[in-house]
């Protein structure tokens, strides 16, 4: 399989961002004097809804309040979310959220091989630039030929829309690209768009069904952070996922024959 592009999800895949999002939501709740605080446990459950605004809406919908109060709260979602995004992007701009191990390495290997890069994320556009610039320098965003994100599509993951948008903008069929995800919703979206997908779960997403993935790994790994038990468990050539092994694996297995790495 010729791979002309790698398409990365952002939150959880490029970087482990959800603790930052959770703290930013709680700061926005304080600013709005809502009396809400999302614990890590509660937030893990809320993450089943993709999209911060949609997540807030789902949370309000289940609150034991009158319909009048519910409508009042729902009308505040855009404002609360905008406040949250301000808090979140300042945390990212302070460099508090690094890329996951192996992401920069694989991006470099792909670029050296002439393979394009794209992003397909539910997160708000300003968060994308903040993360790429804080981790890859001011030219970070330029490394990505396409950034499909946030409200550019009506239906967020698990709908395939954001991946289909990225493909249209890349002018590629899904058979010429590989997707990278961290969550069940993200994997469903990528598979529905026809991708062979690598999944690297995080604490926030690990208890999910990833059987439709082409490859499941605890991370991408790199020489300074080799994957335990690799090569030999899920990988063949190195203790991290190399671009060359990615090409080999993407060309071989159908998603239903996924090789699951033991965690
Ligand atoms: C993950 C999401 C996002 C973030 C929060 O997106 O669902 O909503 O949790 O960001 P992905 P916003 O995994 O597709 O990158 O509050 O800006 O939505
Ligand atoms: Mg994600």
């Amino acid at each position: 399989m010729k791979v002309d592009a790698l398409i990365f999800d952002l939150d959880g895949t490029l970087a482990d961002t959800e603790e930052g999002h959770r703290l930013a939501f709680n700061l926005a709740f304080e600013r709005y004097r809502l009396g809400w605080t999302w614990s890590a446990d509660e937030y893990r459950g809320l993450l089943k809804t993709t999209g911060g605004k949609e997540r807030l809406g789902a949370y309000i919908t289940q609150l034991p309040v009158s319909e009048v109060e519910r409508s009042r709260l729902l009308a505040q979602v855009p404002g609360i979310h905008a406040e949250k995004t301000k808090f979140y992007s300042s945390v990212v701009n302070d460099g508090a959220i690094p890329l996951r191990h192996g992401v920069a390495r694989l991006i470099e290997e792909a670029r050296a091989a002439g393979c394009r890069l794209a992003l397909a994320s539910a997160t708000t556009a300003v968060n994308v630039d903040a993360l790429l610039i804080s981790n890859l320098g001011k030219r970070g965003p330029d490394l990505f030929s396409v950034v499909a994100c946030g409200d550019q599509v009506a239906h967020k993951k698990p709908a395939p829309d954001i991946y289909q948008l990225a493909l249209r903008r890349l002018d590629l069929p899904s058979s010429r690209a590989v997707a990278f995800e961290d969550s069940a919703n993200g994997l469903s979206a990528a598979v529905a768009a026809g991708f062979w997908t690598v999944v690297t779960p995080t604490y926030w997403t690990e208890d999910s069904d990833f059987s439709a993935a082409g490859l499941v790994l605890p991370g991408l790994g790199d020489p300074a952070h080799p994957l335990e038990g690799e090569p030999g468990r899920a990988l063949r050539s190195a203790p991290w996922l190399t671009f060359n092994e990615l090409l080999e694996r993407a060309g071989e297995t159908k998603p239903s024959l996924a090789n699951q790495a033991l965690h």
Side-chain angles (χ1 to χ4, degrees), residues 15-212:
D16 193 349
T17 60
E18 292 299 349
E19 179 62 1
H21 284 298
R22 182 180 76 89
L23 296 175
F25 274 114
N26 287 336
L27 287 170
F29 300 159
E30 241 177 81
R31 177 67 54 87
Y32 270 71
R33 302 188 195 293
L34 292 162
W36 306 339
T37 305
W38 284 351
S39 68
D41 250 359
E42 186 172 23
Y43 191 60
R44 277 185 104 226
L46 289 165
L47 276 168
K48 294 203 176 11
T49 303
T50 300
K53 292 191 290 294
E54 295 77 2
R55 194 168 304 141
L56 262 174
Y59 174 72
I60 292 167
T61 302
Q62 56 77 50
L63 284 178
V65 294
S66 71
E67 286 318 304
V68 169
E69 175 60 2
R70 194 181 319 285
S71 312
R72 188 187 72 79
L73 289 169
L74 287 171
Q76 291 191 75
V77 164
I80 299 166
H81 189 258
E83 198 65 31
K84 171 263 175 184
T85 300
K86 272 194 247 160
F87 283 121
Y88 176 75
S89 32
S90 69
V91 165
V92 176
N93 290 333
D94 289 348
I97 302 187
L99 296 182
R100 290 187 66 182
H101 296 149
V103 167
R105 172 192 57 78
L106 188 61
I107 283 177
E108 260 327 294
E109 286 181 24
R111 282 168 47 81
C115 180
R116 285 185 291 170
L117 302 170
L119 285 175
S121 169
T123 202
T124 305
V126 67
N127 298 342
V128 177
D129 281 351
L131 190 87
L132 295 181
I133 291 169
S134 72
N135 282 287
L136 298 168
K138 60 178 184 310
R139 295 181 48 75
D142 302 341
L143 301 180
F144 293 80
S145 313
V146 164
V147 175
C149 66
D151 296 335
Q152 292 173 7
V153 289
H155 305 291
K156 293 183 179 176
K157 301 171 185 175
D161 303 35
I162 199 77
Y163 277 105
Q164 291 164 339
L165 175 63
L167 284 172
R168 278 199 303 279
R169 290 184 180 167
L170 285 164
D171 191 19
L172 280 179
S174 57
S175 57
R176 299 293 284 264
V178 171
F180 293 79
E181 269 290 349
D182 71 300
S183 68
N185 279 354
L187 174 60
S188 300
V191 169
F195 286 92
W196 186 87
T197 306
V198 176
V199 173
T200 53
T202 66
Y203 156 79
W204 301 99
T205 61
E206 59 196 359
D207 307 334
S208 308
D209 172 13
F210 296 127
S211 50

